[in-house]
Amino acid sequence: MFVFGGVSLLMDFVYEGARSVTGPLLAHLGASAALVGVVTGAGEAAALGLRLASGPLADRSRRFWSWTIAGYVLTAATVPVLGLTGVLWVACTLVIAERVGKAVRSPAKDTLLSHATAATGRGRGFAVHEAMDQVGALVGPLTVAGVLALTGDDYVPALGVLALPGVAAVALLLWLRARVPDPGGYETTMGAAASGKPPSAGSWERKLPRAFWTYAVFTAATLTGFATFGVLSYHLAVRHLMPTAMVPVLYAAAMAADAVAALATGWLYDRFGAQVLVVLPLLSAAVPALAFTDAVGVAVAGALVWGAAVGVQESTLRATVADLVPVGRRATAYGVFAGIMGAAALLGGALTGVLYEVSVPLLIAVVAGVQAAALVLLRVTRAVRSTPVR
């Protein structure tokens, strides 16, 4: 699990370094706030929505390592090229293409991780993995910030340097595959120890449980009212609240908040269950109220709250899926879950970008209303949730 975390650490170095300057880069090329919101939202939609295909395909083929490696290679190859383009539409395409790499690998990767965390507790296991991710997400933006400061905001070397950890991540992943070709053995061992026989993977055709679907609806609602960092960083750039080179530093701080939130909610999830997710709509509602002000300190606080919300999304939300769905359908479940999240992320990115240009107070009010609805849906989800599938 820790070596897998090392792979994610290196790859987060790559793509979080790039994402930390997506807003300023697109603004530099002439993008509006609405376009930044749509592009970054579309990127998240691609990263999540395309898993509707990659998840079932991974389950059918059982080639989880191959899907994982292919996705990492695509991301590692795409990011350095982003700094070379001076054309807005090409940059927008590359932003989305990088997210496609995440769509290719994530259902298979999460399935591999769900097997490995069976012995440690899924809340803690996914949380530790997310925390290791955020070490890379901290170092990557700081590296980009340093190169931008040294080169006078030149994006070519700032993003080009990210090729190095990308190559290292792919090499480490190939080594790990050779050492542990079948992580499913961890879960089989745990199931046999608990019941006296290996757990059944179930047939591929088995329907996803009702609790999964109600949980997915809650998740879609809370993400629909969630702003992307692209819009947050656009606000910081166009309002001249901080120099461009400082935006990645703030993003790095947000990733540190992400790691802390992931570890805290992961630990609480293993003790108290999904009720800990009540914190997510509350954090999401606070983001626009803080981040879209013209007071630097308050806007920074909003970015940190944004990072904490992402930490919950990337760890505890994913851990819950593994506890709701049987082994044989888990990659499919992650794909479907991500597809629903992707549609919500696209709507959320577009919604916040458009409302930002219309009226910030209206944006704050709309997001608060959406998150209030999400809290109601979470209560409904808890009422219908079945016994977790181990």
Side-chain angles (χ1 to χ4, degrees), residues 291-314:
F292 294 128
T293 65
D294 288 332
V296 177
V298 179
V300 167
L304 297 178
V305 172
W306 176 88
V310 172
V312 180
Q313 294 170 12
E314 293 294 325

Side-chain angles (χ1 to χ4, degrees), residues 227-228 231-232 235 239 287-294 299 352 356 360 363:
T228 65
V231 180
L232 269 64
H235 171 76
R239 297 295 182 91
V287 170
L290 298 171
F292 294 128
T293 65
D294 288 332
T352 55
Y356 175 86
V360 170
L363 167 60

Side-chain angles (χ1 to χ4, degrees), residues 52 54 59 93 116 146 172 182 192 197 228 257 306 333 374 383:
L52 284 168
S54 63
D59 264 338
T93 301
L172 183 59
D182 181 23
K197 61 181 180 179
T228 65
W306 176 88

Side-chain angles (χ1 to χ4, degrees), residues 327-346:
V327 173
R329 292 286 279 165
R330 201 168 288 161
T332 298
Y334 275 119
V336 172
F337 186 70
I340 294 170
M341 291 176 69
L346 176 58

Side-chain angles (χ1 to χ4, degrees), residues 124 265-273 275:
R124 284 171 290 179
T265 57
W267 182 82
L268 290 170
Y269 174 80
D270 284 338
R271 288 179 62 87
F272 303 109
Q275 62 184 320

Side-chain angles (χ1 to χ4, degrees), residues 360-374:
V360 170
L362 177 61
L363 167 60
I364 294 170
V366 169
V367 170
V370 171
Q371 298 305 328

